[in-house]
Amino acid sequence: MKMNKPVLCNSCKKPVTSRRELVTTKSIFKVYPYHDECYEKDLKGKKSFLLDNYPINGLSGTLSVILSFLLMVFLYPVLDTIQFGVIALLFLITGFYRIYSFVLYEKVLPAK
Ligand SMILES: [Zn+2]
């Protein structure tokens, strides 16, 4: 059996031990894991152009993927190619980060 690499919090550098305390956020093509406490302390409310700091994991992350998908499907008949392309891209990007976060961090941690 292969040992999983520990998931280290990007803020305090200590391991995150369960999915319940994990919050992941995105940067450019990267996903960073945090303890929920460290996330609250260090990142919440702070916003920058390239790092929007919204959690990717958990309900809100999953919902944004679903929402962008629904947007894409429902708006398809009324959009021109470029507009549709933009929304499709948005869906692909949110979906990409969601899967990235899951595969890299959530999957390796116990649920509680
Ligand atoms: Zn931490």
Side-chain angles (χ1 to χ4, degrees):
M1 202 179 98
K2 129 177 182 289
M3 285 288 288
N4 283 319
K5 218 165 57 151
V7 174
L8 295 181
C9 171
N10 197 46
S11 175
C12 67
K13 312 293 177 199
K14 292 190 191 121
V16 179
T17 52
S18 84
R19 222 178 279 182
R20 275 171 64 159
E21 58 178 15
L22 173 76
V23 176
T24 54
T25 64
K26 63 177 178 299
S27 178
I28 321 153
F29 302 117
K30 278 207 140 162
V31 173
Y32 293 110
Y34 291 90
H35 291 108
D36 52 358
E37 282 176 20
C38 298
Y39 171 78
E40 292 279 333
K41 210 166 54 189
D42 290 5
L43 289 175
K44 210 169 185 183
K46 256 190 238 171
K47 286 200 184 99
S48 68
F49 179 63
L50 294 170
L51 181 77
D52 63 21
N53 291 338
Y54 288 111
I56 310 168
N57 65 332
L59 192 61
S60 60
T62 307
L63 275 180
S64 44
V65 177
I66 294 171
L67 279 178
S68 52
F69 178 72
L70 290 179
L71 203 66
M72 187 171 84
V73 170
F74 284 114
L75 293 182
Y76 177 69
V78 296
L79 295 177
D80 65 34
T81 315
I82 293 173
Q83 290 167 327
F84 181 73
V86 170
I87 293 180
L89 193 67
L90 185 78
F91 165 66
L92 287 178
I93 291 170
T94 35
F96 166 78
Y97 279 116
R98 188 68 196 86
I99 290 166
Y100 190 157
S101 163
F102 182 78
V103 169
L104 225 64
Y105 302 119
E106 293 160 56
K107 195 167 66 83
V108 301
L109 292 174
K112 46 178 82 193

